[in-house]
Amino acid sequence: MKSQYLKTGIESINGRRDFLKLAGYGALGLIAGGYLPMFSPSAYGLTQQVSLNTTETVFKPDLDLTLVPQAEEVAILPGSPTRVWRYHATVNQGDSNRVVEIPESYLGPIINVRQGEKIRIRFKNDIPEKSIIHWHGLHVPAIMDGHPRYAVAQGRSYLYEFTVTNRAGTYWYHPHPHGRTGFQVYGGLAGLFLVSDEEELGAGLPENEFDIPLVIQDRTFDAHNQLVYMSRNRMARMTGFLGDRILVNGKPDFTLPVSTTAYRLRLLNGSNSRIYRLAWQDGRPLTIIATDGGLLEKPVQRQFAFLAPGERMELWADFSDNPVGYETGLISLPFDGAGTGRGRMMGTDAGLPLGAGFSVFKLKVSRKVNRSIELPQKLSEVTPVDLLNTAGLGHLREFYLTMGHMQWSINGRTFQMEDVTEDEIVKLGSKEIWEFNNTGGGMMRMMNMPHPIHLHGKQFRVVGRSGVRHDGYVDEGWKDTVLLMPGERVRILTEFSDYPGLFLYHCHNLEHEDMGMMRNYFVQK
Ligand SMILES: [Cu+2]
């Protein structure tokens, strides 16, 4: 009964899209102006009266962009340029300094916004396959979230309008069409979406040239400098794609020149499936000041920390005690637990297997400055989990990360575009604990693998982790992606306080996601 209801909502929306096409605007997002719950019949009634003009007057954006993925060539390695896909932005309205290009990179521009601002993004697809953008980590209405059912073909558009409600933090955007996310992200489509707020601006953190975003990805190039992605070979896709070169901000052999002062380093793991176990080469501890959903309450120190695909981590790094000429770098330490016999058996990652140790980027102290800045001991207000945890909890929802018939799945199910089962329906206004369980693996033990689980539309808190065989998790603060190594169980707490509708939860190993290790959950009014 439930699924029938969902289907009706979607069909009605589709009908509306055809109408908008006639207006010269294939923008599904436009229909609801961004704010009407798409599954309620009353909202459907309203959408019929919304026209392009009324939407323009109702929603007054602080920043209005056109964002277009396009094919182009970028010089990455010496010699021939590399064919990539890249997001290009045009600022139609608002401060053009909010959009910052990364020079000579395939990465999309960094979009800078303030909490509370209204953002309009006109996505126009100019690559020869369907695409749609997901705002990873942002709390937006279902229709703005980039669900694969909204993917548009080349030449078509989708209009996003939303208010930024998130805490200050390092968020990002990337494509989310079903079955092609891995390919499109690998081709170059990804960019940072940085949110600031009053609390962050008052925290006393390094800013401007001392606030450095670092997007970490792995790629493989052929002899002609072109990107190599995996075949559709099922066995290879079970593992996920692993490149044999590490790129930072789209550049190989990356060296970061720094001055003798403190930095805020914003790390995003934008890789398809590679997990990093990060540490400083010179043995200093990592001073972690933020995770996915923004600043921690106070800095935490670790000798090393995992960063799984989709996750972000911000470091405080102070070089005021180092002389000019000093060199160090961020490395990825070796780790096991990546599945027995992988790589060698499958031959997919012979160059740089998962769990190998390598340099991520080098860092060189190149300039002396007299600029001393102290690490703040208080970074932000983070509601203690105990307070969140006390009342109003529904039953525990369990999700088993499973495998059978050469197919990753969740509770034995794979992604179907509009499919929601009874145990994936949550009540608007409820607060729940979800438990993800990576202890089974299914029929083939050797295929027990790490899975970074990502929830759309929500920041959550990690309230439990058991079966742990690895150190290095940073479960503090607000999260939207959480790593489970084989044998582990993780409990997350989240509140479905607003925004009804259909959202996704999935493995952020993009090859796992593309093969269907993804499901819908439905927030019911
Ligand atoms: Cu996975």
Side-chain angles (χ1 to χ4, degrees):
M1 207 177 76
K2 292 275 164 27
S3 60
Q4 241 178 0
Y5 179 57
L6 294 180
K7 202 154 172 69
T8 309
I10 286 157
E11 276 168 359
S12 64
I13 289 290
N14 284 342
R16 177 66 186 169
R17 168 153 56 174
D18 287 333
F19 173 75
L20 284 167
K21 246 186 288 177
L22 300 173
Y25 226 106
L28 181 52
L30 192 63
I31 301 156
Y35 292 98
L36 303 175
M38 67 178 294
F39 291 110
S40 87
S42 61
Y44 174 47
L46 276 171
T47 60
Q48 301 200 323
Q49 293 147 31
V50 176
S51 74
L52 182 61
N53 288 335
T54 57
T55 303
E56 292 279 358
T57 55
V58 167
F59 189 88
K60 290 202 168 62
D62 299 290
L63 187 64
D64 181 329
L65 311 175
T66 302
L67 203 52
V68 186
Q70 285 174 326
E72 67 171 64
E73 292 188 332
V74 175
I76 299 175
L77 300 172
S80 310
T82 305
R83 289 188 293 275
V84 296
W85 283 342
R86 181 181 181 182
Y87 285 120
H88 284 269
T90 318
V91 179
N92 306 311
Q93 189 188 321
D95 181 0
S96 59
N97 295 323
R98 296 297 194 84
V99 175
V100 180
E101 298 280 347
I102 302 176
E104 294 151 45
S105 174
Y106 55 78
L107 288 173
I110 300 169
I111 301 173
N112 294 280
V113 304
R114 293 281 290 270
Q115 188 186 57
E117 286 183 330
K118 289 184 160 60
I119 311 299
R120 173 181 291 153
I121 293 167
R122 305 160 191 262
F123 170 66
K124 185 174 178 300
N125 186 11
D126 197 20
I127 57 167
E129 55 182 78
K130 284 185 152 191
S131 196
I132 191 73
I133 298 179
H134 169 56
W135 315 97
H136 184 121
L138 291 192
H139 179 50
V140 293
I143 201 167
M144 297 295 133
D145 188 60
H147 191 283
R149 74 192 189 284
Y150 299 144
V152 294
Q154 187 172 28
R156 303 293 300 278
S157 301
Y158 194 97
L159 189 75
Y160 295 93
E161 291 177 338
F162 55 83
T163 302
V164 177
T165 63
N166 282 69
R167 308 172 82 229
T170 303
Y171 306 94
W172 63 302
Y173 59 97
H174 63 77
H176 220 296
H178 182 47
R180 293 294 279 176
T181 296
F183 186 86
Q184 293 186 10
V185 171
Y186 186 74
L189 297 179
L192 289 165
F193 193 100
L194 306 182
V195 177
S196 68
D197 64 15
E198 289 300 321
E199 184 180 49
E200 180 205 40
L201 292 171
L205 294 171
E207 292 175 356
N208 303 318
E209 63 183 294
F210 306 106
D211 174 354
I212 299 179
L214 297 160
V215 180
I216 306 168
Q217 295 174 307
D218 56 343
R219 296 288 186 270
T220 297
F221 297 87
D222 69 12
H224 309 288
N225 288 354
Q226 300 311 309
L227 291 170
V228 175
Y229 190 57
M230 65 201 327
S231 67
R232 290 181 181 269
N233 177 294
R234 206 159 182 77
M235 198 66 177
R237 295 181 78 89
M238 290 303 290
T239 309
F241 176 84
L242 293 163
D244 60 10
R245 293 191 76 141
I246 305 302
L247 273 61
V248 172
N249 293 346
K251 297 176 182 77
D253 308 315
F254 187 81
T255 299
L256 181 68
V258 295
S259 302
T260 53
T261 185
Y263 283 79
R264 175 182 187 176
L265 304 179
R266 303 174 184 250
L267 309 176
L268 158 66
N269 181 352
S271 311
N272 281 32
S273 82
R274 184 175 296 281
I275 296 161
Y276 302 84
R277 189 171 175 244
L278 298 173
W280 285 113
Q281 192 185 349
D282 63 7
R284 73 179 75 193
L286 299 168
T287 300
I288 300 154
I289 56 171
T291 50
D292 300 342
L295 294 173
L296 302 177
E297 187 181 18
K298 54 183 191 295
V300 300
Q301 291 210 328
R302 299 286 153 83
Q303 276 310 120
F304 47 84
F306 281 120
L307 194 67
E311 283 188 308
R312 286 86 70 208
M313 187 170 70
E314 298 186 23
L315 304 178
W316 173 279
D318 192 345
F319 305 100
S320 54
D321 289 341
N322 299 114
V324 169
Y326 182 80
E327 288 182 30
T328 182
L330 206 60
I331 56 174
S332 187
L333 296 169
F335 61 93
D336 62 15
T340 315
R342 291 185 52 262
R344 233 171 316 147
M345 288 196 63
M346 285 167 227
T348 54
D349 53 3
L352 197 56
L354 187 62
F358 50 83
S359 165
V360 178
F361 65 86
K362 300 218 174 299
L363 186 148
K364 186 170 183 176
V365 178
S366 58
R367 193 167 63 109
K368 175 115 185 106
V369 292
N370 288 314
R371 184 179 179 278
S372 148
I373 169 169
E374 287 289 308
L375 173 64
Q377 285 314 300
K378 167 93 181 187
L379 296 164
S380 75
E381 291 291 339
V382 177
T383 315
V385 164
D386 290 350
L387 287 181
L388 289 171
N389 215 346
T390 46
L393 282 176
H395 70 286
L396 178 78
R397 256 173 233 273
E398 291 178 291
F399 300 94
Y400 286 83
L401 310 179
T402 49
M403 201 270 280
H405 307 290
M406 293 304 286
Q407 171 66 60
W408 291 114
S409 53
I410 301 175
N411 281 344
R413 302 182 189 113
T414 54
F415 183 68
Q416 306 296 326
M417 197 60 88
E418 298 166 16
D419 196 22
V420 178
T421 55
E422 282 298 329
D423 58 8
E424 293 169 319
I425 297 174
V426 302
K427 213 65 204 133
L428 186 67
S430 67
K431 195 192 288 184
E432 297 202 359
I433 290 181
W434 288 14
E435 182 179 270
F436 292 95
N437 192 319
N438 192 19
T439 58
M443 298 187 295
M444 296 165 69
R445 283 244 145 225
M446 66 143 190
M447 286 301 293
N448 206 354
M449 272 200 67
H451 300 288
I453 297 296
H454 172 49
L455 207 65
H456 277 224
K458 285 283 149 198
Q459 292 290 326
F460 56 76
R461 302 293 288 280
V462 177
V463 295
R465 186 185 280 278
S466 55
V468 177
R469 290 166 210 177
H470 295 83
D471 294 327
Y473 294 106
V474 187
D475 288 333
E476 283 89 345
W478 290 97
K479 296 281 293 168
D480 55 55
T481 308
V482 62
L483 175 63
L484 287 91
M485 293 297 269
E488 294 183 351
R489 281 190 297 177
V490 164
R491 286 185 175 190
I492 64 168
L493 171 67
T494 190
E495 205 168 344
F496 302 92
S497 48
D498 48 13
Y499 300 150
L502 203 61
F503 293 91
L504 298 164
Y505 65 102
H506 63 85
C507 179
H508 217 285
N509 175 320
L510 297 184
E511 286 71 39
H512 292 185
E513 171 186 337
D514 279 343
M515 71 194 295
M517 195 178 189
M518 171 158 82
R519 292 288 302 171
N520 290 310
Y521 73 92
F522 183 62
V523 182
Q524 191 174 42
K525 283 222 294 191

